[in-house]
Amino acid sequence: MSSKLATTPGPRADELGFDVERIREDFPILRTRVNGKPLVFLDNAASSQMPQAVIDRYVRYRSSEHANIHRGVHHLSEVATREYEAVRGRVRAWVNASEEREIIYTSGTTDSINLVMHGYGRKFIGAGDEIILSVLEHHSNIVPWQMLAEEKGARIRVIPCNDAGELLMGEYRKLFSDRTRFVAVTHVSNALGTVNPIAEMAAIAHGHGVPVLVDGAQAAPHLPVDVQALDCDFYAFSSHKMCGPTGAGILYGKARHLEAMQPFRGGGDMIASVTFEKTTYAPIPHKFEAGTPAIAEVIGLGAAIDYLNAIGIGQIKAHEDELLRHATDRVGALPGVRIIGTAREKAAVLSFELDGIHPHDVGTLLNEEGVAVRTGHHCAQPVMRRFDVPATVRASFAFYNTLPEIDTLVAAIRKVQKVFAG
């Protein structure tokens, strides 16, 4: 079947001066061959690739700038501290936070969400209180809240979705009660690609005096993110999904929340003073950054943001929208294929299943054609149960993917179907 789903049409990327072949030259790994065939990397929702500029920056830090940061008075420590702290300003601008002290370095989205659960949730959520999640959440935005609910005797309530994978906003409104204390929701579903109406959801929650955490792991690399316009209270995302290294991530939080929260971890670099009688914590953001951090990885994230800024998030989104429309039409037109998730607003993800063929078998055979996709439940088992499937095949796109690569995916799917047709 042909589908009309996927993203509101906007200007084409090439009309904006976007040259994908030129950009691909920046990514050495895209010259890899798999099973004698050119790599078609469509697993970007799991982890995107790093351009040479990020690799070079990472190596330069390791080879000529490395030292521990902050308290050192020697040259290398001062250089490392300056480069590390300068990234905070780049991140602030990337999400349009109002202040650099609202940007907390973490190890990734999961770590960011756990920080909020421990720092905010354990202090402000108690027995009988309610936490609202959505059925579209990644496990990283479910499990921490379940742990909190079990510890405190709180209750999890879940926003359902329709058959397209869109959250039911009327049901969301009904979930609020005088015991609702927190909302945690994904910006973009990692399993389906659905873009949730975060600004509207935050406005509804704030109407009840309830703060909102947004899992932005699948949004920050693909959409313009403006945390002030969204008016979310917390926003979490990872470096490795936006062309940076693994091991670094970001938690944005409104300053008044961060100041009221208790630290998640205690140790060096997060204190103002320590005696055996009492510890006074450092001001935000350092209150939440105990111990020696992932210095090289944070500096690599800064280089990734510089690289993405040089291309422009508007051009990135336009190109990825075109990839998604093309993939949706081509894959959706194949007989025996069902697309899972047909929301009106989607970003960079196409999940599907093939009649009578397990997704793991599909992924294995696609790999023989050089096509890298993700198969499984994508750490989103409630989504799989909602659509009554054990797993899906997920192709996820980045700005360095091309329309011919989508055609290679389609041809490879046809080969898989022929193999299983005998």
Side-chain angles (χ1 to χ4, degrees), residues 142-391:
I142 298 174
V143 178
W145 304 111
Q146 286 179 326
M147 295 167 71
L148 178 69
E150 183 175 354
E151 174 186 323
K152 296 289 187 176
R155 178 186 181 197
I156 301 291
R157 307 199 70 185
V158 180
I159 313 165
C161 71
N162 61 21
D163 291 341
E166 298 165 326
L167 295 182
L168 297 174
M169 295 298 288
E171 298 301 313
Y172 171 56
R173 292 175 186 274
K174 293 177 185 175
L175 291 179
F176 285 89
S177 73
D178 59 3
R179 300 310 304 264
T180 305
R181 295 291 181 268
F182 204 77
V183 172
V185 64
T186 187
H187 197 167
V188 173
S189 163
N190 74 302
L192 307 181
T194 305
V195 180
N196 289 323
I198 296 300
E200 179 183 359
M201 297 181 78
I204 293 169
H206 292 163
H208 294 272
V210 175
V212 176
L213 175 143
V214 179
D215 172 355
Q218 300 296 336
H222 304 289
L223 310 172
V225 174
D226 184 334
V227 294
Q228 294 187 74
L230 294 173
D231 197 21
C232 56
D233 298 273
F234 301 98
Y235 197 96
F237 57 100
S238 297
S239 162
H240 71 98
K241 296 182 190 295
M242 50 192 299
C243 299
T246 56
I250 297 296
L251 173 68
Y252 156 80
K254 289 181 178 176
R256 61 184 172 86
H257 291 312
L258 296 175
E259 288 172 338
M261 287 164 54
Q262 58 192 14
F264 175 23
R265 298 187 180 92
D269 220 25
M270 51 78 72
I271 58 88
S273 66
V274 176
T275 68
F276 279 107
E277 288 72 36
K278 180 179 174 59
T279 292
T280 302
Y281 303 129
I284 61 171
H286 301 293
K287 180 172 77 170
F288 299 103
E289 297 176 357
T292 298
I295 305 167
E297 288 71 21
V298 167
I299 290 173
L301 169 60
I305 290 174
D306 290 345
Y307 182 83
L308 296 175
N309 273 326
I311 297 172
I313 191 66
Q315 296 196 87
I316 288 171
K317 182 179 184 304
H319 180 68
E320 292 178 354
D321 284 351
E322 187 176 3
L323 292 171
L324 181 58
R325 282 194 292 271
H326 187 66
T328 301
D329 288 342
R330 293 293 315 276
V331 175
L334 293 171
V337 174
R338 179 169 78 112
I339 293 176
I340 311 294
T342 55
R344 286 164 292 183
E345 295 293 333
K346 290 184 61 177
V349 170
L350 187 71
S351 274
F352 56 93
E353 63 171 356
L354 274 61
D355 287 348
I357 311 175
H358 195 280
H360 289 287
D361 294 330
V362 177
T364 300
L365 292 174
L366 291 181
N367 181 63
E368 292 186 5
E369 300 301 315
V371 179
V373 296
R374 180 70 45 157
T375 61
H377 54 63
H378 316 298
C379 294
Q381 289 182 323
V383 178
M384 300 297 112
R385 278 191 286 273
R386 168 61 181 77
F387 287 89
D388 196 25
V389 294

Side-chain angles (χ1 to χ4, degrees), residues 108-127:
T109 304
T110 299
D111 192 36
S112 298
I113 294 170
N114 274 273
L115 192 163
V116 177
M117 184 278 276
H118 284 277
Y120 184 94
R122 295 183 77 185
K123 185 172 182 179
F124 295 109
I125 296 173

